[in-house]
């Protein structure tokens, strides 16, 4: 897999007028060690306490 691939294009096409926020791609082989990256991303987008 290559990151998010065509996800942004697909969402833009299927959800016209929607605002897409910052994305986070986690590859399958990286899931076990992704907690730090996910927590930082959630803080950046305002869904977790700073």
């Amino acid at each position: 897999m290559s990151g998010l691939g065509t996800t942004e294009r697909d969402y833009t096409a299927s959800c016209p007028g929607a605002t897409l926020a910052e994305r986070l791609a986690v590859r399958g082989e990286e899931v076990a060690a992704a907690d730090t990256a996910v927590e930082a991303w959630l803080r950046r987008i305002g869904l977790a306490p700073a």
Side-chain angles (χ1 to χ4, degrees), residues 1 8-9 13 17-18 21 26 33 37 39 49-50:
M1 296 298 292
E8 184 174 1
R9 183 188 69 208
V26 178
E39 290 171 8

Side-chain angles (χ1 to χ4, degrees), residues 3-48:
L4 293 169
T6 63
T7 302
E8 184 174 1
R9 183 188 69 208
D10 296 343
Y11 282 11
T12 299
S14 63
C15 304
T19 300
L20 300 179
E22 178 184 341
R23 298 147 324 268
L24 174 70
V26 178
R27 292 178 178 89
E29 66 274 9
E30 299 170 349
V31 168
D35 57 337
T36 302
V38 171
E39 290 171 8
W41 173 71
L42 289 170
R43 282 192 300 278
R44 283 194 309 276
I45 65 170
L47 293 177

